[in-house]
Structure formats: structure tokens, C-alpha cells
Amino acid sequence: MTDDDGYFGERVAKTYDQSSDAEFQAEIVEQTVDLLAELANGGRALELAIGTGRIALPLARRGVPVHGIDLSRAMVAKLRAKPGGEAIGVSIGDFATTTVDTAADGPFSLAYLVFNTIMNVADQDAQVACFRNVAAHLAPGGCFVVEVMVPELRKIPAGQNIVPFHTGPTGWAYTVYDTVTQDATCHYIDIAEDGRGEAHSTPFRYVWHAELDLMAQLAGLRLRERWESWTREPFTEHSTKHISVWEKSVG
């Protein structure tokens, strides 16, 4: 992660909640919150990359106390401006290393990281550190939930390394993959009404579910469940993403 607001500064924060991605649809948000509230099991939840509160706010309305970690002050400012946003505690910093004081309220029963954000941690060492940081915040028996895509390498023709994922009259976007290092960069070109274009890029590191299981094991967590969706559809070879739940051992 970079310093200051990283890649999610004021420009991104301004329009973030206007996304047409499925994850922003009310039905999907409700399904996400249903499962997270169940896994919290009456305890507190820690959201890594809390952002503008897309998940944290409805989860808090379910009665689950939520604390967040986020690098972007601009995104958190959007959270604070929403009803209930001021009541949610947020620690500003890199979620792979930032610690939250649990002395007063005790450890968390749930930590979660959604919408592919584990891949925004753009190197393997930092991804491992993220799992260890989460484990340090969890109570025994507590869960870490990650929602992330399955790498789209099947879409790459032989001899190429680019996968387009959005095209339209107002812009397009594509990903450039390095299949040796697992590094990748998403490039976005937005076209304004006057025809002028604005380009920006976001680096990430794609990661396989088996690799995440090993990271969890190194942090003292074990895989409990893995599904294709928030409604617990089975994870198969055809799944394009997974919801994985790792549990901290008791004792």
C-alpha cells in the first residue's frame, strides 16, 4: 500500500458509491450482511478497508459493533458523512499492519475483507502480514472472511497478457497480468462528455485460494468454509470468486 490515501483518494471517493458493480446492489449487500452478522455471533467485527461504509453501516444497523481500518481519509470522510457513520470507529492506516487497541472491549469475533481487496495488498509478504495481523485481533474461535475473485488466467490467450473487463462509450478498462510474479495492473480510461479522457491505474497481486489457505495456516487459522457466493452456493472449478472463512484455533 502507498502512503496518504493510496489509490483511493478524493477522485475515487467522490464517485465510489455510484458504482454499477453487483456488489453495490441492495440485494447483494443484504446477503453479505446476513452472513457476516451470523458469523459475528453476537461479537464485534473488524472491517479491513472499511471505505465509505458499504458493508459496515448496514452491519452496524443489525446490532453488530464494527470497527474499521482504512488507509484513505477521503473514503472515510464519505463514511462519516452518512447517517450512523460518526458512530463507527476507524483506525487510519495500512490494514496489513495497523493494530486496533482491544484492551477495553476485548478481541473481535469476526474480521472481514471484501470485494477483492486482499489483492490490493500488492506483494506476498504483505498479504501474509495481513493474515497475521487479523489473527492477532481475533478471539479464539473467531473468523476471518475474505471475498475475492478467482484469477482470470483462463481468459488470456497464448502469447498475450491483457484481459479487458469493461468497454463502453464513457470509458473502458483492462488488466495487464504478469503470470510469473502474479503482479497485475488495472488500467482505467474514463471519457468525459467533451471527449476528453482521464487515465488512472491500480496495481494488485492476484492470489489463488490454495495460497490464501497457506497464509491462513501460517497465521494460526484453519479453513472452515468456502462458498461461491454469500448465499452459500458451492465453490466449484467454474466459480469466478469465493467467500472463504478461516477460524482461529481455540486454546
Side-chain angles (χ1 to χ4, degrees):
M1 293 264 182
T2 60
D3 56 5
D4 300 318
D5 281 358
Y7 294 92
F8 295 88
E10 186 59 42
R11 180 188 56 77
V12 173
K14 183 170 59 176
T15 59
Y16 186 78
D17 291 323
Q18 300 170 21
S19 173
S20 60
D21 288 328
E23 286 81 2
F24 290 79
Q25 296 175 6
E27 180 182 6
I28 302 300
V29 170
E30 189 76 6
Q31 293 169 357
T32 304
V33 172
D34 282 345
L35 183 53
L36 291 176
E38 178 183 328
L39 292 172
N41 195 29
R44 297 195 302 144
L46 176 66
E47 179 170 1
L48 311 186
I50 192 170
T52 64
R54 177 179 64 93
I55 300 302
L57 287 169
L59 186 59
R61 288 195 290 268
R62 295 285 190 89
V64 178
V66 180
H67 188 95
I69 301 175
D70 205 290
L71 191 66
S72 172
R73 296 180 186 274
M75 296 284 276
V76 173
K78 295 295 182 182
L79 163 66
R80 293 283 184 240
K82 297 177 180 178
E86 287 292 343
I88 295 179
V90 178
S91 300
I92 300 296
D94 186 334
F95 61 69
T97 55
T98 297
T99 58
V100 177
D101 186 0
T102 58
D105 299 313
F108 295 89
S109 63
L110 171 71
Y112 60 96
L113 180 58
V114 296
F115 201 15
N116 301 322
T117 311
I118 185 63
M119 298 195 303
N120 290 125
V121 183
D123 67 76
Q124 188 183 64
D125 287 345
Q127 288 174 342
V128 171
C130 174
F131 274 79
R132 286 177 169 153
N133 193 32
V134 165
H137 286 86
L138 286 176
C143 294
F144 182 30
V145 180
V146 170
E147 175 194 28
V148 64
M149 64 183 284
V150 175
E152 298 182 306
L153 302 195
R154 288 181 177 179
K155 293 183 177 181
I156 302 177
Q160 298 187 31
N161 65 344
I162 295 175
V163 175
F165 60 89
H166 171 75
T167 58
T170 60
W172 58 92
Y174 61 93
T175 302
V176 179
Y177 286 93
D178 185 328
T179 56
V180 174
T181 64
Q182 294 181 213
D183 294 327
T185 303
C186 285
H187 298 276
Y188 304 87
I189 297 92
D190 300 317
I191 309 299
E193 291 183 1
D194 62 4
R196 295 184 179 183
E198 179 181 350
H200 62 280
S201 302
T202 304
F204 66 93
R205 179 182 187 271
Y206 69 82
V207 61
W208 302 96
H209 51 283
E211 187 180 5
L212 292 173
D213 288 342
L214 182 57
M215 293 180 188
Q217 182 180 338
L218 292 172
L221 308 174
R222 66 173 184 85
L223 181 67
R224 192 170 101 179
E225 303 281 358
R226 173 168 289 130
W227 303 293
E228 178 182 279
S229 69
W230 294 103
T231 53
R232 294 183 170 92
E233 292 296 318
F235 179 73
T236 73
E237 62 177 316
H238 303 295
S239 299
T240 59
K241 74 172 186 178
H242 59 94
I243 315 297
S244 295
V245 182
W246 296 277
E247 183 177 81
K248 185 173 181 177
S249 60
V250 178

